[in-house]
Amino acid sequence: MPELPEVEALRDFLTEHLAGREVVRVLPVAISVLKTYAPPLTALEGRRVAAVRRHGKFLDVEMAGGPHLVTHLARAGWLHWKDSLPSGLPKPGKGPLALRVALENGAGFDLTEAGTQKRLAVYVVTDPGQVPGVARLGPDPLADDFDEARFAALLAGERRQLKGALRDQSLIAGVGNAYSDEILHAARMSPFRLAASLTGEETARLYAALRDTLTGAVERSRGIAAGRLKAEKKSGLRVHGRTGEPCPVCGDTVREVSFSDSSLQYCPTCQTGGKPLADRRLSRLLK
């Protein structure tokens, strides 16, 4: 799933390629991705792009004097830029294509979604706050006003485990499964540590890991073409998706805990005092 760094890189890329351009056609190929009906998709056509913004993991293409096209790429969605769009109309039901946006200069982008779990979401709204997922977002962890004191206040009294707290979009916007693993590895903390149990020093360490991990990922992704962002994300991960490989910090074997629809990766030496986590739902440290 694209997370804050990749969506921020897409925002940069689209700002360069879309700003000031006129949208001439919006073609819904998979109707299921469209989550709103008023304003209609046609309200985007004939308008120029004023800005491209990011809200957590949501992309927001703002039209001059008009509505916003807000997209959440979900787990298997992606944006593909094309300097020259194919001629002719795409056929519904043929492949992963979900939505096509065409510009006056012949360029544009496709939104696609692989697999059978169709979660890609597209909204056309007059205000991005009308999108339920955007309305419930917590603070952006890279915002200038997101300091250590604000982070500590969010965790105070939080009885969930750190892994779940970091992924909660209403608590902190933009962090998903992959970067929560990376943040906790950098902070040398167990994913199952209770958030409210952190000392002041540990909170400071986690805050630094959060900011450094996300900032570093954004910088690695900056300037990279949209089609290469997935590969860049994977290459920069130290533990997530690297089960069985040596930890780049200590050399211990990266281990995994599997859940019904996801998994996490961690280093026992760096994060859990050398103790493996039980690989079952509602895992706890082995006694």
Side-chain angles (χ1 to χ4, degrees), residues 2-86:
E3 299 179 34
L4 185 156
E6 294 78 51
V7 180
E8 179 66 12
L10 284 173
R11 186 199 66 79
D12 283 347
F13 179 87
L14 290 179
T15 296
E16 178 183 351
H17 290 77
L18 282 183
R21 292 292 184 184
E22 180 185 341
V23 173
V24 296
R25 195 81 181 270
V26 183
L27 299 168
V29 181
I31 300 299
S32 61
V33 306
L34 190 59
K35 306 304 180 185
T36 56
Y37 61 90
L41 280 173
T42 54
L44 302 166
E45 298 174 352
R47 297 184 184 274
R48 295 191 178 274
V49 176
V52 183
R53 310 184 193 281
R54 176 184 60 79
H55 312 284
K57 292 186 277 187
F58 289 82
L59 265 176
D60 172 12
V61 179
E62 179 184 353
M63 312 307 297
H68 298 245
L69 176 67
V70 180
T71 302
H72 191 285
L73 294 170
R75 178 171 293 184
W78 197 246
L79 184 149
H80 303 268
W81 178 263
K82 299 181 185 297
D83 290 327
S84 180
L85 287 171

Side-chain angles (χ1 to χ4, degrees), residues 227-250:
R228 293 168 44 211
L229 283 172
K230 287 184 180 181
E232 171 57 35
K233 175 181 180 178
K234 185 175 181 181
S235 70
L237 299 176
R238 302 197 296 180
V239 291
H240 184 81
R242 300 194 180 277
T243 303
E245 298 181 21
C247 169
V249 174
C250 71

Side-chain angles (χ1 to χ4, degrees), residues 37-284:
Y37 61 90
L41 280 173
T42 54
L44 302 166
E45 298 174 352
R47 297 184 184 274
R48 295 191 178 274
V49 176
V52 183
R53 310 184 193 281
R54 176 184 60 79
H55 312 284
K57 292 186 277 187
F58 289 82
L59 265 176
D60 172 12
V61 179
E62 179 184 353
M63 312 307 297
H68 298 245
L69 176 67
V70 180
T71 302
H72 191 285
L73 294 170
R75 178 171 293 184
W78 197 246
L79 184 149
H80 303 268
W81 178 263
K82 299 181 185 297
D83 290 327
S84 180
L85 287 171
S87 59
L89 298 176
K91 295 181 179 180
K94 300 292 184 181
L97 180 60
L99 188 85
R100 173 166 291 169
V101 176
L103 305 177
E104 91 286 353
N105 63 350
F109 63 86
D110 289 341
L111 295 178
T112 65
E113 185 171 26
T116 58
Q117 294 186 353
K118 301 302 182 182
R119 298 178 180 174
L120 176 68
V122 174
Y123 309 81
V124 180
V125 291
T126 56
D127 186 310
Q130 295 169 334
V131 177
V134 173
R136 71 179 183 88
L137 287 176
D140 191 293
L142 295 187
D144 292 340
D145 62 351
F146 189 81
D147 57 15
E148 185 182 322
R150 190 174 186 187
F151 180 62
L154 291 175
L155 296 186
E158 179 59 66
R159 300 302 301 173
R160 285 176 296 177
Q161 297 164 338
L162 287 174
K163 173 73 175 180
L166 288 174
R167 293 184 62 187
D168 182 353
Q169 299 303 293
S170 64
L171 190 71
I172 301 171
V175 179
N177 195 32
Y179 287 108
S180 58
D181 282 352
E182 296 298 299
I183 291 164
L184 290 167
H185 178 256
R188 307 187 305 280
M189 293 181 185
S190 168
F192 297 122
R193 178 79 180 271
L194 291 181
S197 71
L198 299 184
T199 65
E201 184 277 329
E202 289 171 328
T203 299
R205 197 166 80 225
L206 183 59
Y207 172 78
L210 170 73
R211 296 275 289 200
D212 291 348
T213 298
L214 295 178
T215 300
V218 168
E219 289 304 315
R220 286 194 305 272
S221 300
R222 200 177 299 279
I224 294 178
R228 293 168 44 211
L229 283 172
K230 287 184 180 181
E232 171 57 35
K233 175 181 180 178
K234 185 175 181 181
S235 70
L237 299 176
R238 302 197 296 180
V239 291
H240 184 81
R242 300 194 180 277
T243 303
E245 298 181 21
C247 169
V249 174
C250 71
D252 194 2
T253 301
V254 174
R255 303 203 185 195
E256 177 177 304
V257 175
S258 298
F259 302 98
S260 60
D261 61 351
S262 66
S263 63
L264 66 83
Q265 286 78 43
Y266 69 100
C267 170
T269 294
C270 291
Q271 296 176 252
T272 60
K275 299 178 180 179
L277 296 170
D279 189 6
R280 63 178 184 271
R281 200 166 181 83
L282 301 178
S283 296
R284 296 292 187 271

